[in-house]
Amino acid sequence: MKSQRRKNLYQLAAWTWSWVATMALATFGPEYIWDHHPVLTALAVTVNLANGILMLIANRNLFNNFDELERKIHLESLALTLGLAVVVGLFYSLLDTTNLISSDAEISYLVIFIGITYLICMTINTRRYA
């Protein structure tokens, strides 16, 4: 059981880092490596999408290895994170479209918000059920 969990965790870590690396390649490659070649850019974006899907499958495999309490903790954390991401993301977009903020709404801020929210929710729920 523990060895399977460790294997799933390592696979998730590998696919997550692979996804981050392909994201960096797809973001910076067109400008710094292949001079905006459309075929290479499309290939890099497609490889990033494929890595993202494989990362999600690895994450699902890890979740399927959790016991009931761990699933409950993660499910509650994910539910809160999803709800807050939708509410805060749309609020942020509304601030941009109504010109209440001077800069454009960037998705990267929402991604950072989601990551921090999930981390906080996991910490609170883990302590609550411990």
Side-chain angles (χ1 to χ4, degrees):
M1 179 89 163
K2 271 193 161 187
S3 66
Q4 182 63 36
R5 171 179 269 194
R6 182 172 293 177
K7 178 183 167 191
N8 289 340
L9 192 60
Y10 285 139
Q11 285 179 344
L12 177 60
W15 283 116
T16 301
W17 282 109
S18 173
W19 176 73
V20 170
T22 59
M23 176 67 78
L25 185 66
T27 301
F28 300 112
E31 187 171 339
Y32 298 111
I33 299 174
W34 55 77
D35 196 27
H36 298 283
H37 191 280
V39 173
L40 292 177
T41 301
L43 181 65
V45 171
T46 304
V47 167
N48 176 255
L49 177 65
N51 273 274
I53 291 169
L54 292 169
M55 179 183 68
L56 291 175
I57 291 170
N59 199 21
R60 183 178 180 270
N61 290 339
L62 180 65
F63 272 50
N64 285 337
N65 201 338
F66 285 160
D67 62 26
E68 285 186 39
L69 180 59
E70 290 171 321
R71 285 186 188 186
K72 181 175 179 62
I73 290 170
H74 280 274
L75 186 62
E76 284 187 18
S77 299
L78 287 170
L80 282 169
T81 302
L82 175 64
L84 285 169
V86 169
V87 170
V88 172
L90 290 176
F91 171 75
Y92 184 48
S93 175
L94 192 60
L95 288 176
D96 181 27
T97 58
T98 57
N99 292 324
L100 288 174
I101 56 175
S102 59
S103 62
D104 290 334
E106 297 288 337
I107 191 72
S108 58
Y109 293 130
L110 185 61
V111 172
I112 292 168
F113 174 78
I114 290 170
I116 291 171
T117 302
Y118 184 65
L119 183 64
I120 291 170
C121 289
M122 279 296 300
T123 302
I124 291 170
N125 283 333
T126 300
R127 288 183 182 189
R128 193 170 100 189
Y129 290 111

